[in-house]
Amino acid sequence: MRFGLKVNPAGWDDAAYWAGVAESAGFGGLWTGDNLRNPRDAAIPVHDGPTVISGWAATTTKIRVGLLIANMVFRHPTLLAKQATTLDHISGGRFDLGIGSGVWPTDHGMAGTPSWTARERTDRLAEFVAVVERLLSGDVSDHDGPYYPYTLAAMSPGTVQERLPLIVAANAPRALAVVAAHADGWVTFPGAAAEEEFYAKSVERVRLLDEGLGGRKIRRVLLAYGEIDPWASVDGFARLVDRYRNIGFDELVLYSPKEHQQAVFDQVITRLDSY
């Protein structure tokens, strides 16, 4: 099992502190989100995700850095492909790109983007991910899709990595098909679901994804939050790892601990390799 640490920093001092913790503890990835504001409480500080990543990319040396999850509500896929390439260069080839369709009304409201139906959201995700994949591969031919057309594209320089990893967020069957067609990894998360409900649905989602992949191997990432609390106890952390590893997950991304969770976090990271 691989482990990543996700941080939504209040400021750069906070971001730099957790980067140091993640790198010294042996986490494999350091992640942040991509929202313009906190969807529930506007007073909670939120910084621009790609800008935070650029800071981490320039000030760390070993750990991979990435966005979970780049929000397609805010930008055209050509812009995201260029941002990803730049972050790949700043990090020396240590950047991973997560892509998601966005769900919060606050995303649409602050970006000035009209709300989408569930069908349109998934249709957009399919086109968006396909465009990013083709641009990062060096295919700059014109594209006449219904949502994200473009002409005269150029991707110079190309990425440092031979293939920059694309990790797509998906829960519904049509979105899982996008993962199977284009992604190097899949990320899922419980949201507001109860843990037992999410676990049962994850078993089914893994099955559907396997059918679509036809034997191709990709990363399977669980973003743990909500009813999944990795820092409740040391024994609980071990059970969480075993439970989701047994149904096919190979990576857990864990939020940086709150004050009341710090003691368990400190114990777990001293033996992270043992998990």
Side-chain angles (χ1 to χ4, degrees):
M1 183 71 75
R2 295 178 48 180
F3 299 99
L5 187 67
K6 186 173 182 186
V7 182
N8 295 326
W12 177 246
D13 287 348
D14 192 31
Y17 169 78
W18 285 112
V21 170
E23 198 157 42
S24 63
F27 281 93
L30 178 62
W31 305 86
T32 197
D34 187 33
N35 297 96
L36 298 180
R37 54 155 289 175
N38 183 283
R40 297 185 179 91
D41 185 351
I44 293 175
V46 173
H47 289 281
D48 175 63
T51 306
V52 171
I53 294 292
S54 69
W56 281 340
T59 56
T60 58
T61 59
K62 298 177 295 184
I63 197 167
R64 296 192 67 83
V65 295
L67 276 174
L68 274 185
I69 306 158
N71 194 330
M72 70 182 196
V73 172
F74 303 146
R75 58 178 73 82
H76 196 282
T78 55
L79 173 59
L80 183 61
K82 179 60 69 173
Q83 289 177 313
T85 300
T86 301
L87 291 168
D88 197 41
H89 278 260
I90 296 171
S91 66
R94 293 181 289 121
F95 179 66
D96 291 351
L97 176 61
I99 299 176
S101 59
V103 294
W104 296 106
T106 49
D107 293 340
H108 287 272
M110 194 165 172
T113 304
S115 295
W116 303 326
T117 65
R119 175 172 291 278
E120 180 180 348
R121 191 174 300 276
T122 305
D123 289 344
R124 283 179 174 272
L125 179 69
E127 184 180 349
F128 193 104
V129 172
V131 166
V132 172
E133 182 189 32
R134 68 186 292 201
L135 288 171
L136 291 177
S137 73
D139 179 354
V140 295
S141 55
D142 293 350
H143 173 66
D144 191 27
Y147 299 111
Y148 304 107
Y150 58 86
T151 62
L152 305 176
M155 291 297 293
S156 179
T159 59
V160 175
Q161 299 174 82
E162 184 175 352
R163 179 176 171 92
L164 193 154
L166 296 181
I167 302 167
V168 175
N171 281 339
R174 290 183 63 225
L176 288 167
V178 176
V179 176
H182 300 288
D184 305 286
W186 165 53
V187 61
T188 184
F189 44 87
E195 201 276 333
E196 288 299 326
E197 176 191 2
F198 174 72
Y199 177 82
K201 289 183 177 179
S202 294
V203 172
E204 176 63 14
R205 288 163 184 157
V206 168
R207 184 189 67 79
L208 287 174
L209 182 62
D210 283 340
E211 289 178 359
L213 288 168
R216 185 168 72 88
K217 301 298 183 183
I218 65 171
R219 292 160 65 179
R220 294 140 190 269
V221 184
L222 169 61
L223 177 59
Y225 72 94
E227 292 299 311
I228 299 179
D229 180 3
W231 313 127
S233 70
V234 174
D235 289 344
F237 183 86
R239 287 193 297 271
L240 172 67
V241 171
D242 288 342
R243 188 174 209 207
Y244 284 90
R245 178 166 48 207
N246 289 341
I247 62 170
F249 286 87
D250 50 31
E251 196 164 345
L252 291 180
V253 175
L254 315 161
Y255 278 83
S256 56
K258 297 179 172 62
E259 185 175 352
H260 70 278
Q261 300 169 318
Q262 187 69 48
V264 172
F265 176 85
D266 290 343
Q267 293 180 69
V268 166
I269 64 173
T270 62
R271 45 181 168 168
L272 201 58
D273 288 346
S274 68
Y275 297 101

